[in-house]
Structure formats: structure tokens, C-alpha cells
Amino acid sequence: MSRLLTATGAALLAFAALPALAIEPFTATYQANYMGMRAQANMNLAQEAGNRWKYGLQVAGAGARLEQTTTFEANGEQWRPVSSSDSQRGESGLAAMLMKNRELNTTYDWNAGEARFAGDVRDGQGGPVKLQSGDLDGMLMNLVLVRDVQAGKSPLRYRLVEDGRAKRQVFEREGTEQVTVGGRSMEATKVVRTDGRRQIIAWIVDDMPVPARLLQRRDGKDHIDMRLQSVN
């Protein structure tokens, strides 16, 4: 689950000139299914001091808790991450026995032009990783992906910096499908990213700041499925 938004997940994406689409605070709630277990998820975007924003995801249920946050700067058309954190914990029941507790923190130093990683970092992946203009983290990529799709941008290509490395992310449009949000049927643009045995699918509705649905699949099987219930 902690990787859900990494690939869409997401911080998510710099990004073409879209002056008509202003960033605004929101709170969204999702019904989640994680490996057959039901959970509730919340996404929040709030403005901090100056041009900084904080975007977070919290998922809790069946004894598990998953959290992702990113702080980013929004300077006109350019959004860039400043720091991010990613954690997962098994707090009770089966989740406490099966889930490996993990926490990873990342800092993006744009003056030095590098990202560094701390916490539960894999050997040799503490950084630094050289930053490039337009680099994103997983959470921020979610926000920018939504905006790019709504603006008709193509191709949907991004460079993601997290987990001690940089990697390219490419989403393909696969037409439109109907989704249900709060009991209402809506038309959504379907976008897909496939990377080996993993696949991320997002359904994006016009005028909504978050995906109406996010699905992560592994080896052809549903791993995490998040369906939007409300956003305001």
C-alpha cells in the first residue's frame, strides 16, 4: 500500500502550462480494499506558510495503518517536493504478525540539487540522488497526474525520485469508463502504468482533484483498490 501512490501513486508530477487549474485545499475519503481486507482512507491537501503545501494519505483498517505525506512548493506552474515520509505498521491482529513495520523519510535539497533518504533504507540507497527540474515524489505525482489528464496533456511521462533512486513513469490513456462516487455515476478517463508484474490504474473525473478510483495490481491480481466516496 505504501507504494500505491509511488507509481501513480504517487507525488503523482513538473508540468505543462495549465494556468486555469489552480491548486486548492481539499479533503477526500475513500473505501479501500487491501488484499481482501476492508479499510478507510483519507487524502488531505492543506496550504502551509507561503507557497508550501502539505498533501497526505492515511489508510487504517484490519489492524494496519499506512501513511504517506509530502510537503511541496508551488511556484506558478512548477511544483516540486521538499520532503516526504512513508510508513506502514501492523498494529493488531493478523496485520501485526504479517506486516513489516517500515518508515522512510526523504529530503529534496534543490539548492544542492540532490535528494537524500533516511530510515528503513535499502543498502546502498541512502543517496544522494541528483535532482532534475520537474522531479516528483509519489504523492505529488498523483496530484499532477490528475491535473495533466484533465488538461489533456500527452504524453504522461514523469521522473519519480524516491526509495533511493530515480525512475521514469509513463501512463497510457485507455479511453473512458463509468465510475460511481457517492452513489452517482460519472464518466472517468482511465490511465494505466505497467511495470513488469506491477500495474497501476487510475480513473480521473473532470473537476475532481483526486482520482475517483485507484487500483494497484500485482501478478495480475488486485492488491489495493481505493474508491472515492466524497471530496470537498
Side-chain angles (χ1 to χ4, degrees), residues 11 65 90 132 158 178 187:
R65 182 171 297 275
Q132 298 178 8
Y158 312 101
Q178 294 296 119
E187 184 175 78

Side-chain angles (χ1 to χ4, degrees), residues 32-39 62 222-225:
N33 188 297
Y34 175 51
M35 298 178 65
M37 299 180 290
R38 293 178 66 85
D222 291 358
H223 183 64
I224 303 160
D225 191 357

Side-chain angles (χ1 to χ4, degrees), residues 40-220:
Q40 288 293 125
N42 295 295
M43 282 186 186
N44 310 91
L45 177 65
Q47 187 168 16
E48 298 199 317
N51 62 350
R52 291 199 173 188
W53 294 76
K54 187 173 183 179
Y55 180 39
L57 168 70
Q58 306 85 35
V59 183
R65 182 171 297 275
L66 311 162
E67 298 183 5
Q68 285 184 279
T69 63
T70 183
T71 299
F72 65 96
E73 294 177 339
N75 293 308
E77 300 162 4
Q78 183 182 40
W79 295 5
R80 63 185 189 183
V82 175
S83 64
S84 67
S85 65
D86 183 352
S87 67
Q88 65 178 34
R89 298 186 299 277
E91 298 180 327
S92 63
L94 191 61
M97 294 185 288
L98 298 180
M99 286 188 69
K100 181 179 180 180
N101 292 350
R102 180 177 185 269
E103 183 169 355
L104 178 65
N105 298 300
T106 308
T107 57
Y108 300 85
D109 187 338
W110 292 93
N111 290 327
E114 62 185 30
R116 292 183 178 272
F117 313 88
D120 296 312
V121 181
R122 298 180 181 89
D123 290 344
Q125 292 190 350
V129 170
K130 185 175 178 58
L131 291 173
Q132 298 178 8
S133 177
D135 283 350
L136 304 160
D137 64 19
M139 285 292 289
L140 185 54
M141 190 173 68
N142 278 293
L143 288 178
V144 181
L145 177 64
V146 169
R147 293 183 65 175
D148 282 358
V149 170
Q150 292 176 349
K153 180 180 176 181
S154 185
L156 299 167
R157 295 177 181 171
Y158 312 101
R159 186 175 185 262
L160 183 68
V161 177
E162 62 178 23
D163 275 352
R165 57 182 176 170
K167 52 188 176 181
R168 298 289 178 180
Q169 305 290 305
V170 180
F171 290 82
E172 301 289 344
R173 296 173 184 266
E174 293 195 355
T176 60
E177 292 183 358
Q178 294 296 119
V179 296
T180 301
V181 178
R184 295 176 55 202
S185 180
M186 302 179 179
E187 184 175 78
T189 299
K190 181 181 178 181
V191 295
V192 180
R193 185 199 71 86
T194 302
D195 182 9
R197 67 186 186 91
R198 298 192 178 192
Q199 186 178 57
I200 295 292
I201 308 171
W203 287 262
I204 296 170
V205 175
D206 285 348
D207 300 323
M208 283 189 176
V210 295
R213 182 183 176 193
L214 282 169
L215 174 63
Q216 178 178 319
R217 310 193 79 208
R218 293 183 180 179
D219 299 319

